[in-house]
Amino acid sequence: MDQHIAAQLATADAVRAWDERRAASEVTNVAYANRLLDVARDEEAGRLAIVNYRPRGDRESRLKLAYMAAYLIATRGTLNVNEMNAVLEAPRDRPSTSVS
């Protein structure tokens, strides 16, 4: 989670820097769009790592759920069914349950 937060802060910094470069006509719109796509892919990879993480206990399960809820509220994002099941997955020491 700390890595994902750091990646989000780096993403905001990168977007800001590329916005400034584009405004100063230092980069083309195509280069700008490609860089933003790279940044978005990096952020998505970090988010999916958290979604797919299998908690080792109840405490980690609660932390994961709270983090994902805060992230979704802050970004106004959503999860698909598979991601939702991964977020709600039981800790490793208990049987897994899923949402239908």
Side-chain angles (χ1 to χ4, degrees):
M1 286 184 254
D2 291 339
Q3 290 174 342
H4 186 239
I5 291 168
Q8 285 189 304
L9 293 174
T11 297
D13 290 343
V15 169
R16 196 172 307 110
W18 279 88
D19 281 346
E20 290 171 5
R21 291 183 69 189
R22 187 179 68 150
S25 299
E26 294 177 12
V27 295
T28 66
N29 286 339
V30 171
Y32 173 79
N34 285 335
R35 184 58 187 134
L36 291 184
L37 183 59
D38 290 341
V39 167
R41 284 183 184 140
D42 291 346
E43 192 283 327
E44 180 183 25
R47 181 184 63 81
L48 288 176
I50 293 169
V51 165
N52 294 320
Y53 176 75
R54 185 107 189 244
R56 293 177 288 190
D58 285 337
R59 181 179 180 278
E60 283 188 4
S61 287
R62 288 190 304 272
L63 285 172
K64 176 181 175 179
L65 186 57
Y67 180 83
M68 288 307 303
Y71 172 80
L72 293 172
I73 291 167
T75 63
R76 296 187 174 142
T78 60
L79 298 174
N80 65 40
V81 172
N82 292 333
E83 291 171 334
M84 182 64 76
N85 284 332
V87 168
L88 297 175
E89 192 170 54
R92 292 181 190 164
D93 59 348
R94 289 196 339 224
S96 180
T97 58
S98 65
V99 215
S100 297

